[in-house]
């Protein structure tokens, strides 16, 4: 955690309190903080700042002299449409995309997405993973998350409305590279990126995405795991 994010209910005037067990453990064991130390904190949906530890208990840390005066970093003008991945990697992907500042995350069904993934209890923990990503990226603004369990209706009826600039779909067999697509450098980066599951998109899905304005691009000759592809592609927005 690079900052401690607290809900608005935990604030009152210039005081606040931490009552989340994981956050308390981080403050006491990882930071080894004691009364009088200052912590970097933020209000979910609000500003960032600091708070001084007034008292510490096993189930609550009370803060005084709370000052929230810094705006959170701007979100990327980016929607990521991600084929629902294996539950084991969902947490990491949600955390990473949140930390990188993605504005809107769409978890979509695909031909190679196993039906059992949609019954995973990990989907009930998305808020938890988002909070971890926000605390990693020192941000307070929660990304929008959409679950699209039906590929064709979502792509045909909703996808075009999410494209504010250009759109790409990551496809290792495309003849056009991502580097070629964004040249010259004066061109704006895409506002929407589609990334498939471990097995990638099938031809039917690529064709349907193309009809909605998504250009297929490759990021290199190697076929990457989903989480690696996400970080390689989104890293372009941080350059």
């Amino acid at each position: 955690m690079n900052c401690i994010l607290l809900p608005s209910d935990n604030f009152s005037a210039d005081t606040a309190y931490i009552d989340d067990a994981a956050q308390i453990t981080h403050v006491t064991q990882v930071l080894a903080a004691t009364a009088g130390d200052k912590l970097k904190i933020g209000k979910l949906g609000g500003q960032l700042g600091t708070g001084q530890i007034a008292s510490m208990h096993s189930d609550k840390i009370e803060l005084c002299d709370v000052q929230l005066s810094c705006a959170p970093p701007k979100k990327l003008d980016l929607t990521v449409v991600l084929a629902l991945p294996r539950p084991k990697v969902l947490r990491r992907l949600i955390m990473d995309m949140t930390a990188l500042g993605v504005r809107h995350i769409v978890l979509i069904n695909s031909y190679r997405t196993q039906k059992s993934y949609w019954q995973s209890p990990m989907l009930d923990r998305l808020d938890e993973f988002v909070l971890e990503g926000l605390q990693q990226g020192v941000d307070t603004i929660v990304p929008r998350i959409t679950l699209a369990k039906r590929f064709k209706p979502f792509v045909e009826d909703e996808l075009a409305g999410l494209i504010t600039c250009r759109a790409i779909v990551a496809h290792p067999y495309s003849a056009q590279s991502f580097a070629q697509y964004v040249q010259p450098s004066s061109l704006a980066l895409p506002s929407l990126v589609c990334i498939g599951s471990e097995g990638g998109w099938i031809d039917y899905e690529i064709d349907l995405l193309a009809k909605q304005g998504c250009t297929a691009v490759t990021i290199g000759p190697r076929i990457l795991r989903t989480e690696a592809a996400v970080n390689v592609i989104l890293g372009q927005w941080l350059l």
Side-chain angles (χ1 to χ4, degrees):
M1 299 179 193
N2 292 314
C3 69
I4 305 293
L5 292 187
L6 304 172
S8 57
D9 289 347
N10 287 34
F11 291 86
S12 178
D14 63 346
T15 65
Y17 64 88
I18 303 169
D19 59 354
D20 178 81
Q23 292 177 333
I24 291 173
T25 298
H26 181 79
V27 171
T28 57
Q29 298 185 15
V30 178
L31 299 181
T34 58
D37 289 345
K38 280 195 172 184
L39 301 177
K40 189 166 188 176
I41 64 172
K43 180 186 292 187
L44 277 168
Q47 301 283 87
L48 293 159
T50 60
Q52 185 176 16
I53 298 176
S55 63
M56 304 180 73
H57 310 279
S58 60
D59 59 348
K60 181 183 286 189
I61 295 176
E62 296 177 332
L63 305 175
C64 62
D65 192 24
V66 171
Q67 300 180 33
L68 302 177
S69 58
C70 297
K74 289 183 178 181
K75 289 291 186 191
L76 302 178
D77 181 19
L78 179 63
T79 295
V80 174
V81 177
L82 177 70
L84 184 66
R86 291 179 294 120
K88 286 180 67 174
V89 303
L90 179 62
R91 172 178 176 266
R92 295 196 298 270
L93 286 169
I94 294 296
M95 286 177 56
D96 287 348
M97 288 188 288
T98 300
L100 288 167
V102 174
R103 185 187 302 276
H104 186 188
I105 301 168
V106 179
L107 297 175
I108 195 169
N109 194 41
S110 72
Y111 181 80
R112 293 193 170 108
T113 296
Q114 294 187 26
K115 291 182 180 180
S116 62
Y117 293 177
W118 290 104
Q119 280 74 54
S120 170
M122 299 295 273
L123 288 172
D124 296 326
R125 299 174 59 192
L126 293 180
D127 289 346
E128 174 188 332
F129 307 150
V130 164
L131 179 62
E132 291 182 75
L134 290 175
Q135 292 181 141
Q136 173 65 37
V138 192
D139 191 1
T140 66
I141 307 301
V142 173
R144 176 185 171 193
I145 298 182
T146 299
L147 302 183
K149 295 184 179 181
R150 299 176 65 199
F151 180 86
K152 187 173 184 288
F154 179 85
V155 172
E156 291 185 332
D157 300 337
E158 300 184 47
L159 189 69
L162 300 178
I163 302 173
T164 60
C165 183
R166 300 186 293 163
I168 61 171
V169 51
H171 186 48
Y173 304 112
S174 172
Q176 184 174 20
S177 72
F178 181 67
Q180 291 171 330
Y181 180 76
V182 297
Q183 293 298 326
S185 57
S186 59
L187 291 175
L189 286 166
S191 63
L192 186 140
V193 174
C194 302
I195 301 174
S197 59
E198 297 293 336
W201 306 103
I202 62 173
D203 290 343
Y204 167 79
E205 293 167 336
I206 293 291
D207 292 342
L208 201 62
L209 290 166
K211 290 178 181 177
Q212 301 303 317
C214 298
T215 301
V217 300
T218 177
I219 56 176
R222 301 178 186 274
I223 298 178
L224 306 177
R225 293 180 302 159
T226 303
E227 55 263 49
V230 167
N231 288 320
V232 168
I233 293 173
L234 299 194
Q236 302 300 313
W237 274 255
L238 303 181
L239 298 177

